[in-house]
């Protein structure tokens, strides 16, 4: 490479596409980034990797991240485009704000991914709860009888008093009888200390789900 240019590496890919991301229509800058750009890119790339959950070896993530940062800085420097020419300057001036924004976006993306994962495996989890209920009914009849007494007390509450014969009381009873509602009450009841173990959704996901959330990669295609 030319004297002072950065050898090929993830930092080189990040720095090169950073300049391309700031250009009008090209993705890759024709001028190679300097070694100073590379040193700044290497440390900054590590911060982005932490915010994004890691850097896959051999992937094109550094190039994609460099281009994204270039576009972001171009927006910040739209009234001062000359300052954008330096990656070192861009990281010094905008790096902290970019990482904070990236971390917040990553948290939001993770929350959405967790919600989607739970929805995807909710039926499998309900099947686990139903099997666990039958096992406890057979193997721990005294503990299960306590749960049944609580269920009967719940039904009685909405059959008597102000709810007796009312449409609202019947609606609540119908809702309570739904499979998912009943199994969720079963799970909540057996969270009490001293009772047979019933796993929460995320405990079940970690321990029994063949495709737990933490092993789902960024593309969402599963382990």
């Amino acid at each position: 490479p030319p004297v002072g240019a950065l050898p090929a590496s993830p930092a080189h890919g990040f720095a090169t596409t950073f300049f391309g991301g700031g250009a009008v229509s090209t993705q890759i800058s024709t001028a190679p980034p300097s070694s100073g750009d590379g040193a700044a890119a290497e440390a900054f790339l590590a911060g982005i990797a932490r915010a994004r959950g890691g850097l896959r070896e051999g992937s094109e993530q550094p190039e994609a991240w460099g281009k994204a940062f270039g576009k972001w800085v171009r927006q910040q420097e739209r009234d001062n485009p000359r300052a954008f020419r330096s990656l070192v300057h861009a990281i010094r001036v905008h790096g902290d704000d970019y990482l904070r924004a990236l971390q917040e976006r990553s948290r939001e993306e993770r929350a959405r991914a967790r919600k989607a994962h739970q929805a995807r495996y909710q039926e499998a989890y309900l099947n686990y709860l139903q099997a666990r209920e039958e096992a406890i009914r057979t193997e721990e009849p005294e503990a299960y009888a306590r749960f049944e007494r609580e269920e009967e007390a719940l039904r009685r509450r909405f059959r008597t008093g102000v709810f007796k014969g009312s449409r609202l009381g019947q609606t609540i009873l119908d809702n309570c009888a739904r499979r998912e509602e009943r199994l969720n009450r079963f799970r909540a009841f057996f969270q009490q200390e001293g009772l047979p173990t019933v796993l929460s959704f995320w405990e079940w996901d970690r321990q029994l789900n063949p495709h737990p959330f933490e092993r789902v990669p960024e593309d969402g295609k599963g382990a």
Side-chain angles (χ1 to χ4, degrees):
V3 175
L6 183 65
S9 66
H12 174 272
F14 179 89
T16 300
T17 52
F18 164 79
F19 286 106
V24 175
S25 61
T26 60
Q27 178 177 348
I28 303 296
S29 173
T30 56
S34 69
S35 56
D37 289 326
E42 188 170 359
F44 192 58
L45 183 60
I48 294 177
R50 285 192 296 272
R52 298 295 296 168
L55 174 62
R56 293 194 298 273
E57 186 175 355
S59 75
E60 295 182 356
Q61 287 173 309
E63 288 79 3
W65 294 347
K67 187 177 182 182
F69 182 53
K71 288 182 177 179
W72 191 86
V73 172
R74 185 176 64 183
Q75 287 297 313
Q76 307 306 307
E77 294 284 359
R78 56 186 175 273
D79 296 326
N80 185 23
R82 290 178 63 84
F84 174 62
R85 301 294 181 180
S86 167
L87 174 57
V88 174
H89 172 84
I91 291 174
R92 183 179 300 122
V93 174
H94 301 292
D96 288 346
D97 287 342
Y98 183 75
L99 286 179
R100 279 193 291 270
L102 189 61
Q103 288 161 358
E104 179 60 27
R105 188 175 72 185
S106 294
R107 282 192 291 269
E108 292 172 356
E109 289 174 352
R110 179 177 173 82
R112 287 194 296 271
R114 278 174 63 88
K115 185 176 180 179
H117 180 84
Q118 185 167 7
R120 185 178 304 120
Y121 290 102
Q122 181 66 7
E123 185 61 28
Y125 176 62
L126 292 178
N127 290 339
Y128 156 78
L129 289 179
Q130 189 164 351
R132 195 75 187 97
E133 180 182 18
E134 293 180 9
I136 292 175
R137 181 190 290 119
T138 301
E139 299 166 9
E140 303 278 355
E142 291 185 9
Y144 191 77
R146 289 175 57 187
F147 171 65
E148 285 191 313
R149 287 194 294 271
E150 186 162 298
E151 285 289 285
E152 178 55 33
L154 177 68
R155 290 189 291 268
R156 189 182 310 114
R157 187 181 314 146
F158 295 107
R159 288 186 187 135
T160 60
V162 296
F163 293 103
K164 185 175 182 179
S166 71
R167 183 177 299 178
L168 175 60
Q170 188 57 51
T171 298
I172 294 173
L173 287 169
D174 291 343
N175 187 60
C176 287
R178 290 176 55 237
R179 174 175 178 256
E180 185 168 357
E181 292 293 326
R182 183 180 57 79
L183 289 174
N184 280 330
R185 291 195 305 277
F186 164 78
R187 173 197 51 78
F189 180 85
F190 282 95
Q191 296 298 301
Q192 299 177 68
E193 187 175 351
L195 292 177
T197 300
V198 174
L199 302 177
S200 69
F201 175 86
W202 293 108
E203 290 169 336
W204 168 85
D205 189 64
R206 287 192 299 272
Q207 297 179 34
L208 300 178
N209 189 355
H211 304 288
F213 177 75
E214 296 300 341
R215 276 195 259 145
V216 176
E218 289 182 2
D219 60 13
K221 294 179 181 177

